[in-house]
Amino acid sequence: MARVDRIAEPWGTRTPYGPGETWPTRVDAYLADGLGEDDVDRWVQSATILHSNGDGLDIAVKDDRIVGVRGRADDRVNHGRLGPKDLFGWQANHSPDRLTKPLIRRDGELVETDWDTAMDAVAGRCRELLAERGPSSVAFYTTGQLFLEEYYTLGLIAHGGIGTNHVDGNTRLCTATAAAALKETFASDGQPGSYTDLDSADVICLYGHNMAETQTVLWTRILDRLAGPNPPRIVCVDPRETPVARAATVHLAPRPGTNVMLMNAVLHELIGNGWIDRGYVDAHAVGFDELAQRVRDYPPEVAAEVCDVPVAQIREAARIIGTAQRLVSTVLQGFYQSHQATAAAVQVNNVHVLRGMLGRPGCGLLQMNGQPTAQNTREAGADGDLPGFRNWSNESHVAELARIWNVDPMDIPHYSPPTHAMQMFRYAEEGSIRFLYVTATNPAVSLPELARIREILAQERLFLVVQDIFLSETAQLADVVLPAATWGEKTGTFTNVDRTVHLSEKAVDPPGEARPDLDILVDFAHRLDLRDKDGAPLVKWTDPEGAFEGWKECSRGRPCDYSGLSYDRLRQRNGIQWPVTDEHPEGTERIYVDGQFWAQPDYCESYGRDLVTGAPLDETEYRALNPTGRAVLKAAEYLPPHELVSEEFPFQLITGRTLYHFHTRTKTGRAPQLQAAAPEVWVEMAASDAADRGWSEGDVLEVATPRGRVEARLRISGIRPGVLFLPFHYGYWDRPGGAGPDGRGRAANELTLTDWDPCSKQPIFKTAAAAVTRVAPGDGPAPAPTTTGSRPVSGTVPATRGGEDALADEQVRGGSR
């Protein structure tokens, strides 16, 4: 067993393997206070949070307190491995500033109260508004970090009980485009690929996906393939020189906002060189002629000029993709949070349909998620869609859901598309939404144009409820704050990107009077006296397993079918891929085998949208386009970004993540090793841009846009010239007073613009025009980027070593189970 500093070595030790071989097992563990495994009282099964990978782990408990974690050797997702956030992030559970009692606003101040007083205030105000203004005055804004059972209960309360169409989550900010792109091509959500496809792929493409920092264990899997025999070729699309870019065979670094142009050029080359499976396309797709005609106008020479990428690199990337025998593609925020997000992500789908690279080993497509339970928000209807991937514009789907819930179909809002988060906040700004229930998320830091968002949340006419584990920037603005339990303190299931379902068991009690989110939601429903059409309580369960059984029936016969799963099965074998049915009791490794899609007009989740306007297609239009339920090849025209650089604002600003933090740092900022690794915000700039201005590493810069200003230290990196990068994690909870009196802050979203993709409605965080000036010289050069093993780490990973507190155990076990 080795001891490894997992801050300095975030991906751990290599265990090389070749194509078709099983990924070797390496069990990672971290125990606090010098404890050994023999000191642990019990191990409780769970899976990881703070990213979307879904790594199986066990929670170590001693004296009824969490003291560490250990990867599960037999888990199909991670084969025992854990990333830095997995190993150290659990310590936030013990933070002394956890919320332990409800809070209510009295005379302008939040004061402690009892649960009855808090819940009576919440339910009472909700009832008043329903009577005075109707369901459209009530909105719910949730997260990607609850459990499936909690999302389903929330969706039932909002859609089936209250009857509001205003339901969404912070998943709108990170992976709404994943769902939208899958619906455009396959008419349904659901990831076609499986993580095991990485084991045999000969080409892996990462589009706007810095996997090395967002899904560290999945990147470890690729690093082990690269270290083994017959390694895959890597194509990376990213304007920054990330660890992924450094490992790539070809790194394309386009101007932000030009992804559609680049993808059209790749498609131009695939079709022009005959690198397509025409038999597969003719048998299983529609729309080829329109796509082929569209991309004729996008030769590599045109794309090279617009994207500022060498022609030879575009052609080489297309050749690698076009000649791959087994192709895996992943997509994330570099596409999802950029201009023309859905249109660009759909073109990646087009690559796989054209090449026939779906539904077989090594041919995986993963429109990635960014949060541990983002997939469940979409499955269970907590993102506004109807649960079970039902089509809100299909009357028979609404009727089926009404039968399951035993409510009148007209009580379920389906008169228009669900209200997305950006529109919800606009309605709150205008005054039509007067009650906003925020669960486990922090929009006062994570939404764009923060000055505007703070004003909206602080309105006296808006009754704001925040259910969370810490007094976040958003909670500080609330009328009522409800203290919640978190991971390890409650039981429930969650599903990762490749449809793997894990059960996370309660290991310890929550602190003080904090309650599981499910208990709070059920209490809320009872206080509202929500009932079905026979007069029985609408929410018919009181515990997680009861909610899961209810969800199983809701999912039966739908694409995300859980009907063959149970808590008992997941306790015997944690980590099973849906759909799980009587026909497939062991789960389903990959979907769309032999071109069998869920796109039939009577069954599909969506009829699609116009990629330019976002206008939904109706049933008649969809039936004419795709009567037999094939994959849809959807062409897209390139359009320039809405906010262009100028003499006043000459840089393009993009935002993103760092390896050591998650979202607004409410958890990772309270884990000592993670916070020490990335304690402060920084701004990345190309070496040539810094040299032109005579600036040095560590200088204090001010980044400004028409919306605000942020101060950060300069980090010189391999980012493309003309582009600045700010990590979005840093807010003000650990810096009282927030942004300074002159408006200068450290939250990246002080700068971002209120704009969103027409199809997915995902905000655009990566095409703002910005100016930058030096405020003060640095007090010495910042440390140079470190080297992890033989692979250099980009400037996004601090040159730091975690020391004794960051040493984790790694035990390599020859093979995997």
Side-chain angles (χ1 to χ4, degrees), residues 38-327:
D38 292 342
D39 300 315
V40 174
D41 294 339
R42 63 184 183 276
W43 294 90
V44 180
Q45 81 166 29
S46 182
T48 57
I49 54 171
L50 305 179
H51 54 76
S52 65
N53 211 50
D55 307 322
L57 59 70
D58 291 321
I59 301 171
V61 179
K62 182 176 177 58
D63 299 329
D64 294 321
R65 182 179 172 88
I66 297 175
V67 294
V69 291
R70 179 182 65 193
R72 293 177 67 90
D74 58 356
D75 194 275
R76 65 169 304 276
V77 171
N78 57 316
H79 295 223
R81 290 163 185 78
L82 298 175
K85 290 195 287 286
D86 310 328
L87 291 164
F88 308 121
W90 57 267
Q91 296 168 98
N93 284 38
H94 302 320
S95 183
D97 59 342
R98 281 287 299 273
L99 289 170
T100 60
K101 290 179 68 71
L103 305 175
I104 193 166
R105 192 166 294 279
R106 296 284 189 242
D107 298 323
E109 300 292 329
L110 286 171
V111 297
E112 290 185 348
T113 189
D114 59 83
W115 272 100
D116 278 338
T117 300
M119 292 304 295
D120 283 346
V122 173
R125 185 56 181 150
C126 187
R127 279 194 305 268
E128 288 174 3
L129 286 167
L130 289 173
E132 294 171 6
R133 294 175 168 267
S136 291
S137 63
V138 175
F140 295 87
Y141 185 60
T142 188
T143 182
Q145 299 174 66
L146 299 184
F147 289 151
L148 167 61
E149 295 81 355
E150 294 158 346
Y151 293 130
Y152 182 52
T153 302
L154 172 60
L156 171 58
I157 291 169
H159 291 130
I162 292 172
T164 181
N165 209 24
H166 306 328
V167 185
D168 204 356
N170 66 8
T171 50
R172 184 65 54 189
L173 313 183
C174 59
T175 52
T177 300
L182 292 168
K183 291 177 191 177
E184 292 306 314
T185 303
F186 307 112
S188 178
D189 200 344
Q191 301 289 350
S194 174
Y195 287 169
T196 54
D197 291 326
L198 295 172
D199 300 340
S200 53
D202 65 324
V203 172
I204 300 171
C205 297
L206 299 100
Y207 297 94
H209 184 192
N210 182 12
M211 186 191 288
E213 300 195 55
T214 57
Q215 286 92 16
T216 53
V217 169
L218 199 59
W219 180 242
T220 298
R221 196 170 194 147
I222 292 178
L223 288 179
D224 287 350
R225 278 292 321 274
L226 291 173
N230 301 313
R233 291 169 292 174
I234 306 292
V235 175
C236 170
V237 179
D238 198 313
R240 301 165 67 214
E241 190 182 26
T242 64
V244 174
R246 292 174 184 267
T249 312
V250 176
H251 172 209
L252 304 174
R255 285 192 179 102
T258 64
N259 292 328
V260 166
M261 172 64 73
L262 180 66
M263 292 308 303
N264 279 350
V266 170
L267 292 167
H268 175 281
E269 291 295 282
L270 296 184
I271 294 172
N273 287 287
W275 293 327
I276 65 173
D277 186 338
R278 193 58 196 259
Y280 183 93
V281 171
D282 290 344
H284 301 302
V286 297
F288 174 77
D289 291 341
E290 181 186 353
L291 178 67
Q293 181 176 353
R294 171 66 68 188
V295 301
R296 284 194 196 106
D297 298 332
Y298 294 88
E301 291 79 6
V302 172
E305 183 174 344
V306 173
C307 303
D308 190 28
V309 173
V311 171
Q313 285 191 1
I314 297 174
R315 286 209 168 96
E316 177 62 7
R319 185 191 66 78
I320 291 172
I321 295 166
T323 59
Q325 298 301 304
R326 295 170 303 281
L327 174 67

Side-chain angles (χ1 to χ4, degrees), residues 386-404:
L386 297 183
F389 295 163
R390 288 178 172 84
N391 191 335
W392 63 268
S393 54
N394 185 322
E395 292 290 342
S396 67
H397 286 200
V398 178
E400 180 187 44
L401 183 61
R403 177 187 58 78
I404 294 167

Side-chain angles (χ1 to χ4, degrees), residues 44-48 54-59 72 75 147-149 376 487-488 490-496 500-507 544-545 548 562 565-576:
V44 180
Q45 81 166 29
S46 182
T48 57
D55 307 322
L57 59 70
D58 291 321
I59 301 171
R72 293 177 67 90
D75 194 275
F147 289 151
L148 167 61
E149 295 81 355
N376 300 124
W487 168 93
K490 59 182 183 177
T491 294
T493 56
F494 57 97
T495 307
N496 77 346
T500 300
V501 184
H502 284 100
L503 175 64
S504 180
E505 301 268 24
K506 177 181 176 180
E545 190 165 7
F548 187 78
Y562 284 62
L565 270 178
S566 67
Y567 273 29
D568 285 343
R569 288 210 59 206
L570 290 169
R571 285 176 177 129
Q572 295 164 10
R573 178 191 151 204
N574 206 14
I576 302 175

Side-chain angles (χ1 to χ4, degrees), residues 223-486:
L223 288 179
D224 287 350
R225 278 292 321 274
L226 291 173
N230 301 313
R233 291 169 292 174
I234 306 292
V235 175
C236 170
V237 179
D238 198 313
R240 301 165 67 214
E241 190 182 26
T242 64
V244 174
R246 292 174 184 267
T249 312
V250 176
H251 172 209
L252 304 174
R255 285 192 179 102
T258 64
N259 292 328
V260 166
M261 172 64 73
L262 180 66
M263 292 308 303
N264 279 350
V266 170
L267 292 167
H268 175 281
E269 291 295 282
L270 296 184
I271 294 172
N273 287 287
W275 293 327
I276 65 173
D277 186 338
R278 193 58 196 259
Y280 183 93
V281 171
D282 290 344
H284 301 302
V286 297
F288 174 77
D289 291 341
E290 181 186 353
L291 178 67
Q293 181 176 353
R294 171 66 68 188
V295 301
R296 284 194 196 106
D297 298 332
Y298 294 88
E301 291 79 6
V302 172
E305 183 174 344
V306 173
C307 303
D308 190 28
V309 173
V311 171
Q313 285 191 1
I314 297 174
R315 286 209 168 96
E316 177 62 7
R319 185 191 66 78
I320 291 172
I321 295 166
T323 59
Q325 298 301 304
R326 295 170 303 281
L327 174 67
V328 169
S329 296
T330 73
V331 191
L332 199 59
Q333 312 299 20
F335 273 37
Y336 297 167
Q337 294 179 342
S338 290
H339 176 61
Q340 292 191 280
T342 304
V346 164
Q347 304 319 303
V348 179
N349 296 346
N350 287 344
V351 169
H352 278 261
V353 175
L354 288 175
R355 298 243 39 232
M357 296 284 180
L358 292 165
R360 50 195 174 92
C363 302
L365 171 61
L366 294 167
Q367 295 281 353
M368 299 293 289
N369 299 334
Q371 297 188 70
T373 64
Q375 191 66 44
N376 300 124
T377 65
R378 308 198 312 248
E379 296 165 5
D383 67 340
D385 286 332
L386 297 183
F389 295 163
R390 288 178 172 84
N391 191 335
W392 63 268
S393 54
N394 185 322
E395 292 290 342
S396 67
H397 286 200
V398 178
E400 180 187 44
L401 183 61
R403 177 187 58 78
I404 294 167
W405 286 350
N406 196 28
V407 299
D408 190 301
M410 294 307 295
D411 290 340
I412 300 174
H414 59 285
Y415 40 82
S416 67
T419 311
H420 61 91
M422 299 299 288
Q423 189 64 54
M424 278 170 40
F425 279 86
R426 179 163 288 176
Y427 287 155
E429 185 176 38
E430 295 169 347
S432 62
I433 287 177
R434 296 294 183 93
F435 178 100
L436 180 61
Y437 196 135
V438 176
T439 311
T441 188
N442 191 15
V445 176
S446 59
L447 282 175
E449 198 173 346
L450 286 184
R452 170 177 173 263
I453 296 300
R454 285 190 292 265
E455 288 181 1
I456 294 171
L457 293 172
Q459 293 177 104
E460 188 148 341
R461 67 187 175 187
L462 178 68
F463 191 86
L464 177 62
V465 182
V466 174
Q467 187 169 303
D468 212 324
I469 66 174
F470 294 108
L471 193 66
S472 66
E473 291 87 341
T474 304
Q476 292 170 31
L477 300 170
D479 294 282
V480 176
V481 179
L482 304 175
T486 188

